[in-house]
Amino acid sequence: VSLLALVLVACGGSDDGDQNGENESASDGDGKTIRAGIGLNQDHPQYKGLLKFKEIVEEETDGEITVETYHSGQLGDDRSMTEALQLGNQEVTVPSTAPIANFVPEFSVFDIPFLFPSEDVADEVLQGEVAQGLLDKLEEEDLVGLAYWENGFRDLTNSERPVESIEDFEGLDIRTMENDLHLEAFKALGANPTPMAFTELFTAMQQGTVDGQENPYATIYLENFYEVQDYVSNTHHVYSPFVFLMGKQFYDGLTEEQQQIVSDAAKEAGQHQIKLNREANATYLENLQEEGMEYTEISDENRQEMVDAVQPVIEDFKDQIGPDVVDGIMEAVEKAQAE
Ligand code: KDG
């Protein structure tokens, strides 16, 4: 067994179709391997999307490109995996836009609380010029943004009390994503936020380092957060897109045909992921209640108080995000809403 293990390690541990590699040009003759990693687990629609990407790419390239998929932060968290892409130590990751703002600050536009009123509006805006333009900016950071996928509307959970109105946020220790706008928005709501990588979150809730967190229902359910959280409210305070990222060095090393294949596959797998994600988010609130969580619905009036409380934060961050990007996305939201 140990000899086999050694042989596997020596071969890079992957069955990447080397035996078919003696064709084409020198640069692509050896078969290429894409290591694709995410923070969420194997049950999440995000991972199913990754498997779809693998299926399409391996089929369309006749095995010239092999895709290895990793879930549950096996390769790191959103930030460290994005850095690994820049350095050429990993090829694909699919982070939320919030941590991407640490690389391209304009992505924080999606952290503006209560920006998208619905999934339809999100779809329209993310396909629009301004959002697609943001993907182009990733190249300056040695990253290629191939498609928007969906994390979804984020809802609050905690282990202390039902959250029904802004007063209930007071003093709650909430884990936020590693993003300054998120952090300040939660302060403005009265909470006591701590930024933390997703990979550390479950333990932090279990050990009581934080009282709560915010994520879409699919994540709350599929990551078993109900085991350590008692209350859930439909705050729907932010819609998080995911971005399908590839390292630029790796992308540039692909043939034009391969670039087209991975780019199309990222989009097609994204459509599949978004469909599954919406089904999951529509289903799992019920499951959370079955698992014993108490659900609190936020009234329109109470949500409006939250919207008002975060307005100064949006103003403060407008310059940092880029006024053109903020105005452009807000106009796109209005236009989509009017349709
Ligand atoms: O795979 C994606 C996750 O790593 C992360 O983006 C999930 O929304 C998320 C969070 O709260 O960090």
Side-chain angles (χ1 to χ4, degrees):
V1 172
S2 60
L3 182 63
L4 177 64
L6 277 176
V7 171
L8 283 173
V9 169
C11 297
S14 75
D15 170 23
D16 60 357
D18 267 356
Q19 66 274 21
N20 304 321
E22 67 278 359
N23 50 7
E24 307 282 343
S25 66
S27 64
D28 63 297
D30 274 330
K32 291 171 179 141
T33 303
I34 292 177
R35 287 159 294 182
I38 55 168
L40 294 166
N41 70 21
Q42 69 278 12
D43 296 324
H44 198 283
Q46 191 185 29
Y47 190 66
K48 311 249 163 77
L50 222 46
L51 292 177
K52 188 70 171 176
F53 174 78
K54 173 184 168 72
E55 182 191 312
I56 301 169
V57 169
E58 291 183 352
E59 190 180 316
E60 298 282 315
T61 64
D62 283 328
E64 243 175 54
I65 299 182
T66 306
V67 182
E68 294 175 0
T69 56
Y70 298 89
H71 54 79
S72 311
Q74 288 165 320
L75 298 184
D77 57 50
D78 283 352
R79 196 172 177 149
S80 62
M81 287 193 284
T82 306
E83 283 164 359
L85 258 54
Q86 291 178 307
L87 297 170
N89 295 334
Q90 184 182 328
E91 291 70 36
V92 163
T93 187
V94 194
S96 299
T97 45
I100 299 179
N102 295 306
F103 300 85
V104 176
E106 286 89 340
F107 273 95
S108 228
V109 70
F110 301 118
D111 301 307
I112 292 178
F114 308 105
L115 176 69
F116 291 148
S118 67
E119 286 162 350
D120 284 350
V121 169
D123 285 346
E124 182 100 16
V125 175
L126 291 172
Q127 291 313 314
E129 210 178 305
V130 186
Q132 294 296 315
L134 290 183
L135 296 181
D136 298 340
K137 286 191 185 291
L138 288 160
E139 297 220 5
E140 292 158 25
E141 288 295 318
D142 288 328
L143 300 164
V144 182
L146 292 180
Y148 283 103
W149 286 18
E150 177 181 274
N151 194 349
F153 282 102
R154 306 180 77 90
D155 294 299
L156 185 77
T157 69
N158 81 97
S159 55
E160 288 294 305
R161 54 177 173 262
V163 172
E164 190 175 9
S165 67
I166 189 161
E167 286 79 39
D168 301 319
F169 280 87
E170 194 57 45
L172 278 184
D173 292 323
I174 302 293
R175 173 269 179 177
T176 65
M177 290 187 284
E178 296 176 286
N179 175 286
D180 292 342
L181 207 171
H182 260 286
L183 191 73
E184 293 306 323
F186 274 89
K187 282 189 194 159
L189 291 168
N192 190 11
T194 314
M196 190 185 289
F198 184 79
T199 43
E200 292 167 37
L201 176 56
F202 190 89
T203 312
M205 291 189 292
Q206 196 170 36
Q207 297 181 343
T209 319
V210 295
D211 302 319
Q213 65 84 47
E214 40 81 58
N215 254 296
Y217 298 138
T219 300
I220 300 169
Y221 181 68
L222 295 170
E223 299 279 342
N224 302 342
F225 286 179
Y226 53 81
E227 290 175 8
V228 288
Q229 298 280 274
D230 300 321
Y231 306 100
V232 56
S233 303
N234 67 335
T235 49
H236 268 46
H237 50 280
V238 159
Y239 173 95
S240 277
F242 285 133
V243 178
F244 189 100
L245 290 180
M246 186 170 273
K248 186 164 166 7
Q249 283 181 39
F250 178 79
Y251 182 83
D252 288 346
L254 297 175
T255 65
E256 258 177 54
E257 193 193 346
Q258 290 171 335
Q259 289 177 346
Q260 192 64 50
I261 290 173
V262 295
S263 168
D264 290 347
K267 291 181 184 70
E268 192 183 330
Q271 288 311 308
H272 179 67
Q273 185 271 335
I274 290 172
K275 183 172 168 283
L276 296 180
N277 202 58
R278 290 190 181 166
E279 286 164 11
N281 279 329
T283 312
Y284 290 138
L285 175 59
E286 214 166 297
N287 298 53
L288 290 173
Q289 290 168 276
E290 279 163 19
E291 294 294 344
M293 286 189 90
E294 183 180 327
Y295 171 60
T296 306
E297 198 161 303
I298 311 277
S299 69
D300 290 349
E301 210 182 328
N302 285 350
R303 188 174 286 99
Q304 189 55 47
E305 281 191 357
M306 299 174 196
V307 173
D308 295 341
V310 297
Q311 283 321 298
V313 180
I314 303 173
E315 287 307 315
D316 284 352
F317 273 82
K318 197 168 173 181
D319 279 344
Q320 196 175 313
I321 301 171
D324 291 354
V325 174
V326 175
D327 292 340
I329 290 287
M330 288 197 170
E331 272 164 37
V333 169
E334 270 172 40
K335 190 167 161 263
Q337 248 175 318
E339 275 167 13

